[in-house]
Short mmCIF file of all heavy atoms in Angstrom, two decimals:
data_model
loop_
_atom_site.label_atom_id
_atom_site.label_comp_id
_atom_site.label_asym_id
_atom_site.label_seq_id
_atom_site.Cartn_x
_atom_site.Cartn_y
_atom_site.Cartn_z
N GLU M 1 -3.48 -5.08 14.51
CA GLU M 1 -3.63 -5.67 13.21
C GLU M 1 -4.80 -5.04 12.46
O GLU M 1 -4.76 -4.84 11.24
CB GLU M 1 -3.80 -7.19 13.30
CG GLU M 1 -2.54 -7.92 13.70
CD GLU M 1 -2.67 -9.40 13.74
OE1 GLU M 1 -3.66 -9.95 13.16
OE2 GLU M 1 -1.83 -10.04 14.39
N GLU M 2 -5.87 -4.75 13.19
CA GLU M 2 -7.05 -4.09 12.57
C GLU M 2 -6.71 -2.74 11.97
O GLU M 2 -7.16 -2.38 10.87
CB GLU M 2 -8.19 -3.97 13.56
CG GLU M 2 -8.80 -5.27 14.04
CD GLU M 2 -7.96 -5.96 15.14
OE1 GLU M 2 -7.07 -5.34 15.74
OE2 GLU M 2 -8.23 -7.14 15.40
N ASP M 3 -5.90 -1.95 12.71
CA ASP M 3 -5.54 -0.62 12.18
C ASP M 3 -4.59 -0.75 10.98
O ASP M 3 -4.71 0.02 10.03
CB ASP M 3 -4.85 0.20 13.30
CG ASP M 3 -5.84 0.74 14.30
OD1 ASP M 3 -7.07 0.66 14.07
OD2 ASP M 3 -5.40 1.25 15.36
N ILE M 4 -3.70 -1.74 11.02
CA ILE M 4 -2.82 -1.95 9.88
C ILE M 4 -3.62 -2.35 8.66
O ILE M 4 -3.46 -1.84 7.57
CB ILE M 4 -1.72 -3.02 10.22
CG1 ILE M 4 -0.81 -2.51 11.30
CG2 ILE M 4 -0.92 -3.37 8.95
CD1 ILE M 4 0.13 -3.59 11.87
N LEU M 5 -4.57 -3.27 8.86
CA LEU M 5 -5.41 -3.74 7.75
C LEU M 5 -6.22 -2.56 7.16
O LEU M 5 -6.28 -2.40 5.96
CB LEU M 5 -6.34 -4.84 8.25
CG LEU M 5 -7.27 -5.43 7.20
CD1 LEU M 5 -6.50 -6.06 6.07
CD2 LEU M 5 -8.21 -6.47 7.83
N ASP M 6 -6.80 -1.76 7.99
CA ASP M 6 -7.61 -0.64 7.54
C ASP M 6 -6.75 0.32 6.75
O ASP M 6 -7.17 0.82 5.71
CB ASP M 6 -8.26 0.09 8.75
CG ASP M 6 -9.18 1.16 8.32
OD1 ASP M 6 -10.27 0.83 7.75
OD2 ASP M 6 -8.86 2.34 8.53
N THR M 7 -5.54 0.55 7.23
CA THR M 7 -4.65 1.47 6.52
C THR M 7 -4.18 0.85 5.20
O THR M 7 -4.05 1.57 4.21
CB THR M 7 -3.45 1.83 7.43
OG1 THR M 7 -3.96 2.39 8.69
CG2 THR M 7 -2.57 2.88 6.77
N CYS M 8 -3.99 -0.44 5.20
CA CYS M 8 -3.62 -1.10 3.94
C CYS M 8 -4.75 -1.00 2.91
O CYS M 8 -4.51 -0.83 1.73
CB CYS M 8 -3.27 -2.58 4.19
SG CYS M 8 -1.63 -2.80 4.90
N PHE M 9 -5.99 -1.12 3.37
CA PHE M 9 -7.13 -0.93 2.44
C PHE M 9 -7.09 0.47 1.83
O PHE M 9 -7.39 0.67 0.66
CB PHE M 9 -8.43 -1.17 3.12
CG PHE M 9 -8.81 -2.64 3.28
CD1 PHE M 9 -9.11 -3.18 4.51
CD2 PHE M 9 -8.79 -3.50 2.17
CE1 PHE M 9 -9.44 -4.50 4.64
CE2 PHE M 9 -9.12 -4.84 2.30
CZ PHE M 9 -9.44 -5.35 3.56
N GLU M 10 -6.76 1.49 2.65
CA GLU M 10 -6.67 2.86 2.14
C GLU M 10 -5.52 2.98 1.12
O GLU M 10 -5.71 3.55 0.05
CB GLU M 10 -6.38 3.83 3.32
CG GLU M 10 -6.24 5.26 2.87
CD GLU M 10 -5.92 6.21 4.01
OE1 GLU M 10 -6.05 5.84 5.20
OE2 GLU M 10 -5.59 7.37 3.71
N LEU M 11 -4.35 2.38 1.42
CA LEU M 11 -3.23 2.42 0.48
C LEU M 11 -3.57 1.68 -0.81
O LEU M 11 -3.19 2.13 -1.89
CB LEU M 11 -1.99 1.85 1.13
CG LEU M 11 -1.38 2.71 2.26
CD1 LEU M 11 -0.26 1.92 2.95
CD2 LEU M 11 -0.90 4.04 1.75
N ASP M 12 -4.26 0.59 -0.69
CA ASP M 12 -4.69 -0.20 -1.86
C ASP M 12 -5.67 0.63 -2.72
O ASP M 12 -5.49 0.70 -3.92
CB ASP M 12 -5.30 -1.49 -1.41
CG ASP M 12 -5.88 -2.31 -2.56
OD1 ASP M 12 -5.09 -2.76 -3.44
OD2 ASP M 12 -7.10 -2.51 -2.60
N LYS M 13 -6.61 1.24 -2.09
CA LYS M 13 -7.59 2.05 -2.78
C LYS M 13 -6.97 3.17 -3.57
O LYS M 13 -7.42 3.53 -4.66
CB LYS M 13 -8.61 2.60 -1.80
CG LYS M 13 -9.74 3.41 -2.44
CD LYS M 13 -10.67 3.95 -1.40
CE LYS M 13 -10.27 5.38 -1.13
NZ LYS M 13 -11.08 6.09 -0.20
N ASN M 14 -5.88 3.69 -3.06
CA ASN M 14 -5.17 4.81 -3.71
C ASN M 14 -4.01 4.36 -4.60
O ASN M 14 -3.26 5.19 -5.10
CB ASN M 14 -4.68 5.80 -2.62
CG ASN M 14 -5.81 6.63 -2.07
OD1 ASN M 14 -6.26 7.57 -2.72
ND2 ASN M 14 -6.32 6.24 -0.92
N GLY M 15 -3.84 3.05 -4.78
CA GLY M 15 -2.86 2.56 -5.73
C GLY M 15 -1.45 2.46 -5.26
O GLY M 15 -0.52 2.29 -6.04
N TYR M 16 -1.21 2.55 -3.93
CA TYR M 16 0.11 2.50 -3.39
C TYR M 16 0.61 1.10 -3.08
O TYR M 16 1.79 0.85 -3.03
CB TYR M 16 0.26 3.40 -2.17
CG TYR M 16 0.13 4.85 -2.48
CD1 TYR M 16 -1.05 5.53 -2.27
CD2 TYR M 16 1.21 5.53 -3.04
CE1 TYR M 16 -1.16 6.88 -2.58
CE2 TYR M 16 1.09 6.87 -3.35
CZ TYR M 16 -0.06 7.56 -3.12
OH TYR M 16 -0.18 8.89 -3.43
N ILE M 17 -0.32 0.17 -2.79
CA ILE M 17 0.04 -1.23 -2.53
C ILE M 17 -0.90 -2.13 -3.33
O ILE M 17 -2.01 -1.69 -3.73
CB ILE M 17 0.01 -1.60 -1.05
CG1 ILE M 17 -1.37 -1.51 -0.47
CG2 ILE M 17 1.03 -0.82 -0.23
CD1 ILE M 17 -1.56 -2.09 0.92
N ILE M 18 -0.45 -3.34 -3.55
CA ILE M 18 -1.33 -4.34 -4.13
C ILE M 18 -1.17 -5.63 -3.28
O ILE M 18 -0.19 -5.77 -2.59
CB ILE M 18 -0.97 -4.63 -5.62
CG1 ILE M 18 0.50 -5.03 -5.75
CG2 ILE M 18 -1.31 -3.48 -6.49
CD1 ILE M 18 0.91 -5.54 -7.12
N GLY M 19 -2.16 -6.45 -3.39
CA GLY M 19 -2.10 -7.71 -2.66
C GLY M 19 -3.37 -8.53 -2.87
O GLY M 19 -4.33 -8.02 -3.45
N THR M 20 -3.34 -9.72 -2.42
CA THR M 20 -4.47 -10.59 -2.47
C THR M 20 -5.34 -10.37 -1.21
O THR M 20 -4.80 -10.45 -0.11
CB THR M 20 -4.05 -12.07 -2.57
OG1 THR M 20 -3.19 -12.21 -3.69
CG2 THR M 20 -5.23 -12.99 -2.66
N LYS M 21 -6.60 -10.08 -1.40
CA LYS M 21 -7.48 -9.86 -0.27
C LYS M 21 -8.30 -11.15 -0.06
O LYS M 21 -8.99 -11.59 -0.94
CB LYS M 21 -8.43 -8.69 -0.53
CG LYS M 21 -7.69 -7.38 -0.69
CD LYS M 21 -8.63 -6.28 -1.12
CE LYS M 21 -7.84 -5.22 -1.84
NZ LYS M 21 -8.17 -5.05 -3.24
N ALA M 22 -8.16 -11.68 1.15
CA ALA M 22 -8.90 -12.89 1.49
C ALA M 22 -8.98 -13.03 3.02
O ALA M 22 -8.09 -12.55 3.72
CB ALA M 22 -8.22 -14.12 0.90
N ASP M 23 -10.07 -13.60 3.52
CA ASP M 23 -10.25 -13.83 4.94
C ASP M 23 -10.05 -12.54 5.75
O ASP M 23 -9.40 -12.53 6.79
CB ASP M 23 -9.25 -14.87 5.46
CG ASP M 23 -9.39 -16.19 4.74
OD1 ASP M 23 -10.55 -16.58 4.41
OD2 ASP M 23 -8.34 -16.87 4.49
N ASP M 24 -10.58 -11.42 5.23
CA ASP M 24 -10.46 -10.13 5.87
C ASP M 24 -9.00 -9.75 6.16
O ASP M 24 -8.67 -9.20 7.23
CB ASP M 24 -11.24 -10.06 7.18
CG ASP M 24 -12.76 -10.13 6.91
OD1 ASP M 24 -13.22 -9.56 5.92
OD2 ASP M 24 -13.46 -10.78 7.71
N SER M 25 -8.12 -10.02 5.21
CA SER M 25 -6.70 -9.68 5.36
C SER M 25 -6.11 -9.45 3.99
O SER M 25 -6.78 -9.50 2.97
CB SER M 25 -5.96 -10.77 6.09
OG SER M 25 -4.71 -10.30 6.54
N PHE M 26 -4.81 -9.11 3.97
CA PHE M 26 -4.02 -8.95 2.76
C PHE M 26 -2.92 -9.98 2.78
O PHE M 26 -2.27 -10.23 3.80
CB PHE M 26 -3.33 -7.58 2.76
CG PHE M 26 -4.06 -6.54 1.99
CD1 PHE M 26 -4.88 -5.62 2.60
CD2 PHE M 26 -3.89 -6.42 0.59
CE1 PHE M 26 -5.53 -4.63 1.90
CE2 PHE M 26 -4.51 -5.45 -0.12
CZ PHE M 26 -5.33 -4.55 0.53
N TYR M 27 -2.68 -10.58 1.59
CA TYR M 27 -1.57 -11.52 1.44
C TYR M 27 -0.81 -11.05 0.20
O TYR M 27 -1.33 -10.35 -0.65
CB TYR M 27 -2.05 -12.93 1.27
CG TYR M 27 -2.89 -13.40 2.42
CD1 TYR M 27 -4.30 -13.28 2.41
CD2 TYR M 27 -2.30 -13.98 3.53
CE1 TYR M 27 -5.03 -13.67 3.54
CE2 TYR M 27 -3.05 -14.38 4.65
CZ TYR M 27 -4.39 -14.21 4.64
OH TYR M 27 -5.16 -14.64 5.69
N ASN M 28 0.44 -11.50 0.05
CA ASN M 28 1.26 -11.10 -1.09
C ASN M 28 1.28 -9.60 -1.27
O ASN M 28 1.17 -9.08 -2.35
CB ASN M 28 0.80 -11.78 -2.38
CG ASN M 28 0.75 -13.27 -2.28
OD1 ASN M 28 1.71 -13.86 -1.73
ND2 ASN M 28 -0.30 -13.89 -2.71
N LEU M 29 1.41 -8.91 -0.17
CA LEU M 29 1.35 -7.46 -0.05
C LEU M 29 2.63 -6.83 -0.61
O LEU M 29 3.71 -7.18 -0.18
CB LEU M 29 1.14 -7.10 1.40
CG LEU M 29 0.99 -5.65 1.78
CD1 LEU M 29 -0.32 -5.10 1.23
CD2 LEU M 29 0.96 -5.56 3.30
N SER M 30 2.50 -5.94 -1.58
CA SER M 30 3.67 -5.28 -2.16
C SER M 30 3.42 -3.79 -2.44
O SER M 30 2.29 -3.42 -2.76
CB SER M 30 4.02 -5.96 -3.52
OG SER M 30 4.44 -7.26 -3.34
N LEU M 31 4.48 -3.02 -2.35
CA LEU M 31 4.41 -1.65 -2.85
C LEU M 31 4.26 -1.69 -4.37
O LEU M 31 4.84 -2.54 -5.01
CB LEU M 31 5.70 -0.89 -2.49
CG LEU M 31 5.96 -0.48 -1.07
CD1 LEU M 31 7.37 0.06 -0.91
CD2 LEU M 31 4.96 0.58 -0.67
N THR M 32 3.51 -0.75 -4.91
CA THR M 32 3.43 -0.64 -6.38
C THR M 32 4.60 0.17 -6.89
O THR M 32 5.22 0.96 -6.18
CB THR M 32 2.11 0.04 -6.79
OG1 THR M 32 2.11 1.38 -6.36
CG2 THR M 32 0.89 -0.75 -6.33
N THR M 33 4.90 -0.04 -8.17
CA THR M 33 5.97 0.74 -8.76
C THR M 33 5.55 2.19 -8.86
O THR M 33 6.39 3.09 -8.79
CB THR M 33 6.33 0.17 -10.16
OG1 THR M 33 5.17 0.12 -11.00
CG2 THR M 33 6.98 -1.17 -10.04
N GLU M 34 4.23 2.46 -8.96
CA GLU M 34 3.74 3.83 -8.96
C GLU M 34 4.02 4.51 -7.64
O GLU M 34 4.37 5.69 -7.57
CB GLU M 34 2.25 3.87 -9.28
CG GLU M 34 1.86 3.42 -10.66
CD GLU M 34 1.74 1.91 -10.84
OE1 GLU M 34 1.91 1.15 -9.85
OE2 GLU M 34 1.51 1.46 -11.96
N ALA M 35 3.86 3.78 -6.52
CA ALA M 35 4.15 4.35 -5.21
C ALA M 35 5.63 4.67 -5.11
O ALA M 35 6.04 5.77 -4.64
CB ALA M 35 3.77 3.37 -4.10
N ILE M 36 6.48 3.76 -5.57
CA ILE M 36 7.92 3.99 -5.50
C ILE M 36 8.26 5.20 -6.33
O ILE M 36 9.06 6.05 -5.92
CB ILE M 36 8.67 2.73 -5.92
CG1 ILE M 36 8.47 1.65 -4.82
CG2 ILE M 36 10.17 3.01 -6.13
CD1 ILE M 36 8.93 0.26 -5.26
N SER M 37 7.70 5.30 -7.51
CA SER M 37 7.99 6.44 -8.40
C SER M 37 7.58 7.75 -7.74
O SER M 37 8.37 8.73 -7.74
CB SER M 37 7.22 6.28 -9.71
OG SER M 37 7.36 7.42 -10.51
N GLU M 38 6.43 7.80 -7.11
CA GLU M 38 5.97 9.02 -6.46
C GLU M 38 6.88 9.40 -5.29
O GLU M 38 7.26 10.55 -5.13
CB GLU M 38 4.55 8.88 -5.96
CG GLU M 38 3.99 10.16 -5.36
CD GLU M 38 2.56 10.07 -4.98
OE1 GLU M 38 1.75 9.40 -5.68
OE2 GLU M 38 2.16 10.70 -3.98
N LEU M 39 7.31 8.37 -4.53
CA LEU M 39 8.16 8.66 -3.40
C LEU M 39 9.57 9.02 -3.86
O LEU M 39 10.23 9.83 -3.23
CB LEU M 39 8.18 7.47 -2.47
CG LEU M 39 6.87 7.27 -1.72
CD1 LEU M 39 6.71 5.85 -1.17
CD2 LEU M 39 6.71 8.28 -0.59
N GLU M 40 10.07 8.44 -4.94
CA GLU M 40 11.34 8.84 -5.53
C GLU M 40 11.32 10.33 -5.90
O GLU M 40 12.32 11.02 -5.71
CB GLU M 40 11.70 7.99 -6.74
CG GLU M 40 12.15 6.60 -6.41
CD GLU M 40 12.34 5.73 -7.66
OE1 GLU M 40 11.86 6.08 -8.74
OE2 GLU M 40 12.95 4.69 -7.46
N ASN M 41 10.23 10.77 -6.47
CA ASN M 41 10.08 12.18 -6.84
C ASN M 41 9.97 13.08 -5.63
O ASN M 41 10.37 14.25 -5.68
CB ASN M 41 8.88 12.38 -7.77
CG ASN M 41 9.14 11.86 -9.15
OD1 ASN M 41 10.28 11.90 -9.63
ND2 ASN M 41 8.15 11.26 -9.75
N GLN M 42 9.41 12.61 -4.55
CA GLN M 42 9.31 13.42 -3.32
C GLN M 42 10.62 13.48 -2.56
O GLN M 42 10.94 14.51 -2.03
CB GLN M 42 8.21 12.85 -2.43
CG GLN M 42 8.01 13.70 -1.18
CD GLN M 42 6.78 13.33 -0.39
OE1 GLN M 42 5.92 12.59 -0.88
NE2 GLN M 42 6.69 13.85 0.79
N PHE M 43 11.32 12.38 -2.56
CA PHE M 43 12.61 12.28 -1.86
C PHE M 43 13.76 12.14 -2.87
O PHE M 43 14.01 11.01 -3.29
CB PHE M 43 12.58 11.12 -0.86
CG PHE M 43 11.54 11.25 0.18
CD1 PHE M 43 10.31 10.59 0.07
CD2 PHE M 43 11.70 12.06 1.31
CE1 PHE M 43 9.32 10.70 1.00
CE2 PHE M 43 10.70 12.21 2.25
CZ PHE M 43 9.51 11.53 2.10
N ARG M 44 14.39 13.23 -3.23
CA ARG M 44 15.35 13.24 -4.33
C ARG M 44 16.79 13.44 -3.85
O ARG M 44 17.60 13.97 -4.60
CB ARG M 44 15.02 14.31 -5.33
CG ARG M 44 13.72 14.10 -6.02
CD ARG M 44 13.44 15.24 -6.94
NE ARG M 44 12.37 14.88 -7.82
CZ ARG M 44 12.24 15.30 -9.07
NH1 ARG M 44 13.17 16.06 -9.60
NH2 ARG M 44 11.22 14.92 -9.78
N GLU M 45 17.08 13.05 -2.65
CA GLU M 45 18.42 13.28 -2.10
C GLU M 45 19.45 12.55 -2.97
O GLU M 45 19.19 11.49 -3.53
CB GLU M 45 18.52 12.77 -0.66
CG GLU M 45 17.72 13.64 0.32
CD GLU M 45 16.19 13.51 0.18
OE1 GLU M 45 15.69 12.55 -0.42
OE2 GLU M 45 15.49 14.44 0.66
#
């Protein structure tokens, strides 16, 4: 869980996910539409 949380903080910092940060965790965690857009452009099958 610690590694997942740390990686989520990295994704949040770079704008790929959003969520509520509380109690040293993430809640209401979602992909951002910007992340989806970037990945759609990378994977165009």
Side-chain angles (χ1 to χ4, degrees):
E1 289 182 18
E2 293 82 11
D3 285 348
I4 295 169
L5 180 61
D6 186 68
T7 305
C8 284
F9 281 126
E10 178 182 350
L11 291 173
D12 176 64
K13 183 181 98 178
N14 285 282
Y16 291 101
I17 64 169
I18 56 172
T20 303
K21 298 172 205 114
D23 302 323
D24 293 323
S25 195
F26 263 99
Y27 302 93
N28 303 316
L29 182 66
S30 294
L31 285 172
T32 63
T33 54
E34 293 83 2
I36 292 167
S37 174
E38 184 174 326
L39 291 161
E40 284 174 345
N41 286 324
Q42 183 169 347
F43 299 99
R44 295 179 168 213
E45 290 70 18

